[in-house]
Amino acid sequence: MHFAFSSEQLMAAEVTTQLLQAHCTPALLRQLLARDAAREDSRWQALSEMGLMGVLIPTDAGGLGLNETDFVLLAEAGGYAALPEPLVEHAGVAAPLLAQVQPGHPLLTAMASGTSTLAIGHPINPFVADADTATALLLVHGDTLHLVRRDQTHITRQPSIDPFRRLYQVDWRASDCTRLDGAGPSDALLDQALNRGALFAAAQCLGLAQRSVHLAVAYARERQQFGKPIGSYQAIKHLLATAQVKIEFARPVVYAAAAELATHAPHAAMRVSHAKLAACEAAELATRTAIQVHGAMGYSWEADVHFFLKRSLALHAAWGSPAFHRGRIAHHIDGQPLGPDHTFYNGTGHV
Amino acid sequence: MNLTYTPAQQAFRAEVRDWLACHVPAKRLASFDDSRDGFEAHRTWERTLHAGQWGMVTWPVQYGGRNVDLISWLIFEEEYYRANAPARVNQNGIFLLGPTLMEFGTAEQKARFLSAMAAGDEIWSQAWSEPQAGSDLAAVRSSAMREGDHYVLNGHKIWSTRAVYADWAFGLFRTELGSERHRGLSLILFPLTAPGVRISPIARLDGKPVFAEIFLNDVRVPVDQRLGAEGQGWAVCMATAGFERGLMLRSPARYQVAAERLVDLYRRHGDPNDDVTRIAVHRSWMDAQAYALSIYATASRLSAGGTIDAESSTNKIFWSELDIALHQTALAILGPRAELLPSAPTAHRDGDWLEDFIFALAGPIYAGANEIQRNIIAERMLGLPR
């Protein structure tokens, strides 16, 4: 029993955070918006050169062959920066799914290097994120998985309140050519993809929640009213402390979910749902608190907090609504032993 | 990252479980707050634990412990709460003063106090607050003036839990005449039976004498009952407060077992159409899980040489609010019978939810009010100006 990341995992997260601190500033996000561009190629390339795209791709296919525990902090760093590019959908969900179905698929190598991007249309989500910049799309028809080239689809943009979230309705035709052979029954694979999607959405929520608190703290230290920084008043302190408490008790759930998904613990799905619920709640509270602390500035386009509020709103029901995840928790509570000796998987009855 | 128990940890759990199954009293002991008899029954239980070498498993063997790590302590606590074993009457001693003695005590002090503490021979109370020094603890005025190889204690302490029946207290005193705030304070251990000590019980809001005022009038204690250096009392106390809020005072198993019982209570008595209550039940269960995961992460970090700092304040806010929400939900499930005392002829016989709710109400107040914890989080964790 050792509930902590390795120094390598912490180092990778630190380097990613630093890279995004330089290459994903709010000012750069605004430039991207002004150009109406979908992604910043240089940033995608920088992240790719660090190996991030191949974390969950097997080494034989040019990836790093690591697992969810290695990726979760990277997804959190992406959330902290409100990263516009589809790091999580591509590297965190689509890549491991394709690798599970066809470990030798030639696209995996290009995905690991970041030269090709794979979008994913999972049945839990009504739309496909970043379909426009994808080389190909992983789609589901009935109980079969399909790999469809972008130019074989017709896509319709569904503008989101989050300007960096590029959602598309995808019209396409399934055929023998698009079907991914070797997939077998897709249910279990799609469940795993859903769990990765929900887990990494939760990790992004943790990151954006923490960033919102940090933005508000920075503002409250500077902004003066009644002759003092507003951050010296307990009304402000307690709002931010309450948001921080929410974050602190979502974080270990997200990390445990990553570790348990990586080791296929039987209750991993329950933990992922708990993580998604807790992290979404933390993000909601932290983003709204950050806006409140900023006062009228917080409600303006000029302050950066709205980027995080909008991402929080977008991720709220992505990869399963709160009702969906509460349902999975209820299923666990109704059917499994609950005592403190069952906090972790104890190694008996493994299927 | 490894979220599975080692074979040794699983064997330890089995050993704890077996021992508790044979030794936990079948009948719940009378409350240690209501009567001397109840208090002494709990002391007897502490002696039973000690005889089995279970008094405080993390302590060195020479002081009655088993020298196991914090993960094993969590396992012990999980089994302890699962077994519905008696509440620890000496929790101020073993969970708060004990770790402080381990860190700041001299070899002689450890030998003198730790074994007697683990054995239940000396039950401890905390003497920190004073009438004008509650949240503002640095405003304490009680003094300990040096006279040769003794201190002479004078002053008035208040809100000392279990001081009505306890044997000893650890208190914060001014050892430097005219000193102010955090300077000139020392932590001093004194027997509650010493000449010049007068105990005056304070009734809790339900009338039970769970805490007391301690009046000190020229109480003489030897200098070697000072813990830590003279004038360093504040730093020593804050170390105690870190343990108190952070890790040991409220182990997660307490809430996990309560949440499990809440789920059972809802199954038996809940209205299946009442979605609000069902969601509240599930939330309590999730929050107890989250608290457990957080403490496992902290224990893992401490085992690897890390420290505990302002996060002890986030812990204290979380468990105290969780405790109230959990018991409020239980009362909601019990409906009109929730208000009945156990003495009522038609009282439900389904747990001590009302008593435990009343106790939970104190959570956001004791061990540093939650508003003070929020200040600590804002200033030390987030860096907001004082």
Side-chain angles (χ1 to χ4, degrees), chain A residues 14-29:
Chain A
E14 177 62 25
V15 172
T16 305
T17 302
Q18 283 174 6
L19 185 141
L20 293 176
Q21 220 162 36
H23 296 284
C24 194
T25 62
L28 290 170
L29 292 182

Side-chain angles (χ1 to χ4, degrees), chain A residues 2-347:
Chain A
H2 186 65
F3 188 9
F5 289 99
S6 68
S7 53
E8 291 82 5
Q9 287 164 336
L10 294 172
M11 179 67 80
E14 177 62 25
V15 172
T16 305
T17 302
Q18 283 174 6
L19 185 141
L20 293 176
Q21 220 162 36
H23 296 284
C24 194
T25 62
L28 290 170
L29 292 182
R30 287 169 189 275
Q31 286 176 20
L32 194 65
L33 264 189
R35 295 205 313 270
D36 194 28
R39 67 159 78 175
E40 184 61 70
D41 289 334
S42 64
R43 185 163 53 224
W44 186 256
Q45 197 181 335
L47 292 169
S48 301
E49 281 166 6
M50 279 181 58
L52 262 55
M53 302 312 156
V55 171
L56 300 181
I57 291 175
T59 48
D60 290 350
L64 299 175
L66 299 172
N67 64 42
E68 288 82 356
T69 315
D70 301 290
F71 194 78
V72 68
L73 292 174
L74 311 178
E76 184 180 343
Y80 190 87
L83 180 71
E85 290 81 23
L87 170 69
V88 161
E89 291 79 1
H90 167 80
V93 187
L97 178 56
L98 180 59
Q100 275 179 306
V101 178
Q102 289 195 359
H105 197 286
L107 189 59
L108 286 169
T109 310
M111 289 176 68
S113 65
T115 48
S116 289
T117 313
L118 188 60
I120 177 162
H122 193 284
I124 193 99
N125 297 319
F127 305 114
V128 178
D130 299 277
D132 57 335
T133 54
T135 315
L137 291 77
L138 258 185
L139 298 168
V140 178
H141 179 74
D143 62 353
T144 54
L145 282 168
H146 295 258
L147 186 66
V148 188
R149 286 204 319 273
R150 157 73 187 84
D151 59 13
Q152 291 173 307
T153 64
H154 177 74
I155 62 173
T156 311
R157 180 97 189 253
Q158 305 284 336
S160 160
I161 180 79
D162 178 353
F164 302 112
R165 197 166 147 82
R166 300 175 71 88
L167 297 177
Y168 290 86
Q169 182 183 318
V170 178
D171 296 303
W172 63 291
R173 190 179 295 273
S175 72
D176 286 350
C177 302
T178 58
R179 195 175 67 235
L180 277 173
D181 289 326
S186 60
D187 288 6
L189 292 173
L190 285 173
D191 274 355
Q192 286 183 44
L194 187 156
N195 284 331
R196 290 192 194 100
L199 166 68
F200 298 138
Q204 290 178 84
C205 283
L206 268 190
L208 67 90
Q210 190 61 72
R211 181 66 174 282
S212 300
V213 168
H214 287 167
L215 285 173
V217 165
Y219 184 78
R221 286 162 61 101
E222 295 298 318
R223 169 70 174 165
Q224 306 253 334
Q225 285 289 272
F226 307 101
K228 289 198 291 188
I230 61 168
S232 64
Y233 297 110
Q234 288 194 344
I236 299 291
K237 285 180 180 173
H238 290 191
L239 281 179
L240 288 167
T242 299
Q244 189 64 38
V245 170
K246 269 277 194 219
I247 295 171
E248 294 300 323
F249 289 91
R251 184 175 284 132
V253 186
V254 175
Y255 295 168
E260 290 169 338
L261 210 51
T263 54
H264 310 287
H267 61 226
M270 172 280 291
R271 192 85 78 199
V272 166
S273 285
H274 183 182
K276 178 74 174 19
L277 289 166
C280 280
E281 276 186 25
E284 276 172 30
L285 182 65
T287 52
R288 280 192 288 110
T289 298
I291 285 183
Q292 184 69 19
V293 168
H294 279 77
M297 274 303 292
Y299 196 65
S300 76
W301 178 256
E302 185 184 334
D304 296 321
V305 283
H306 63 85
F307 290 128
F308 300 90
L309 175 91
K310 291 166 181 171
R311 185 64 51 86
S312 163
L313 195 152
L315 292 175
H316 181 79
W319 296 105
S321 66
F324 171 84
H325 289 293
R326 277 200 301 269
R328 296 209 311 184
I329 297 289
H331 181 72
H332 179 88
I333 288 177
D334 288 343
Q336 299 297 324
L338 302 178
D341 50 329
H342 295 283
T343 307
F344 300 102
Y345 173 55
N346 63 15

